[in-house]
Amino acid sequence: MLVVFLWGMTPLVTLKLYDYYSPAFRLFLSEVSLVAFYLCVAHRNLGELNRSYFRTAVPIGCFYAAANVLQNVGLAYTTPAKYAFLENLSVLVVPFLSYFLTRKKPTVFHILASALCLFSAFALNGLFNGQGFSVGLGEILCGLAGIFYGVNIAGTGACIKKFNATLYLLIQSAISMIFSLATALILNVIPTTDAAGNATVIEPLVATFEPLPLIALVVSTILISGVGWILRTNAQKHVDAVTVGVIMPFAAVVTSVMSVLLGSDTLTSDLLIGGGVGIASIFLSEFGDHFKEKKKNPPPSSDEEAEPNP
């Protein structure tokens, strides 16, 4: 839940930084900061890196990197609230991939929670505003990012218990750093035309090295992304991947509230319904975890001495 509140601030900070950096290049600078941060945290454990880390973290990290690029580029074409909720389309794939990878069958509560979370994403995008469901480029990119994040959550949940979380994240961020730099360079050379018919490129590479924006980027990246990813990845050693996939949508509620307060979004019935359903899905998922744990460790019968549950 602490990570949820940290990540709820991410879209608002990121959108403000777009005044100084193009989306893909801002992501590149953030990943450079994360790699440096993880190296500082895990420098004494670098000797533990082996082929097993790379065989696992590289393919899962590619989905993380692709999701990062899609989401950061997509934010420039949508609102923070939609960006945040569409990220959580990961709930579509996490239960099924978790079952495929670990053979842990999701409970009925987990499936229902995933469906409610998906419904909340639709609600946030205009299901009840009387104007129809609207989907643009930004929504498509953020939705695809959400699905790729789901693959990352499920894959991490299946393997993270045997790895050092910070080393695992170091590899992921290094891959994302390469992806984002390549994206920034490619989008800067692909020709297109603007609304006025003038020749331009898809995303001109924009960057400023003024001290204040650069410090804000590095500090926000380390405090929000660096600390957040370490906390969440370690938490996945103790929390079911499906639960992680369903809890994370609450970050979108935090984003939406802050976005309304700061004037980036307006308070609508869609926001209220989507946020309320998203919160309900979290409680359902937690109930599913409690039910699964109770079934796995039933209370002792009355004629047996109760043993402490380790």
Side-chain angles (χ1 to χ4, degrees), residues 45-93:
N45 304 102
L46 291 176
E48 298 175 18
L49 284 174
N50 53 37
R51 291 181 181 178
S52 181
Y53 270 93
F54 289 97
R55 280 198 301 263
T56 303
V58 168
I60 297 175
C62 285
F63 283 99
Y64 162 80
N68 274 349
V69 168
L70 289 170
Q71 189 185 57
N72 277 269
V73 173
L75 176 58
Y77 302 96
T78 187
T79 67
K82 290 184 177 182
Y83 159 104
F85 271 94
L86 285 168
E87 173 187 356
N88 295 300
L89 288 180
S90 57
V91 298
L92 282 174
V93 296

Side-chain angles (χ1 to χ4, degrees), residues 103-175:
R103 295 300 174 187
K104 292 181 179 179
K105 188 180 295 185
T107 66
V108 174
F109 299 104
H110 283 142
I111 299 297
L112 182 57
S114 297
L116 285 176
C117 186
L118 178 61
F119 176 81
S120 73
F122 278 90
L124 261 291
N125 281 275
L127 194 63
F128 301 106
N129 65 8
Q131 300 176 0
F133 182 75
S134 59
V135 177
L137 176 62
E139 287 76 27
I140 292 173
L141 293 179
C142 290
L144 285 173
I147 293 173
F148 286 163
Y149 277 131
V151 178
N152 177 263
I153 291 171
T156 299
C159 71
I160 193 56
K161 289 184 179 180
K162 60 183 179 181
F163 294 128
N164 177 293
T166 309
L167 293 178
Y168 177 87
L169 291 170
L170 172 63
I171 297 172
Q172 280 200 158
S173 285
I175 295 169

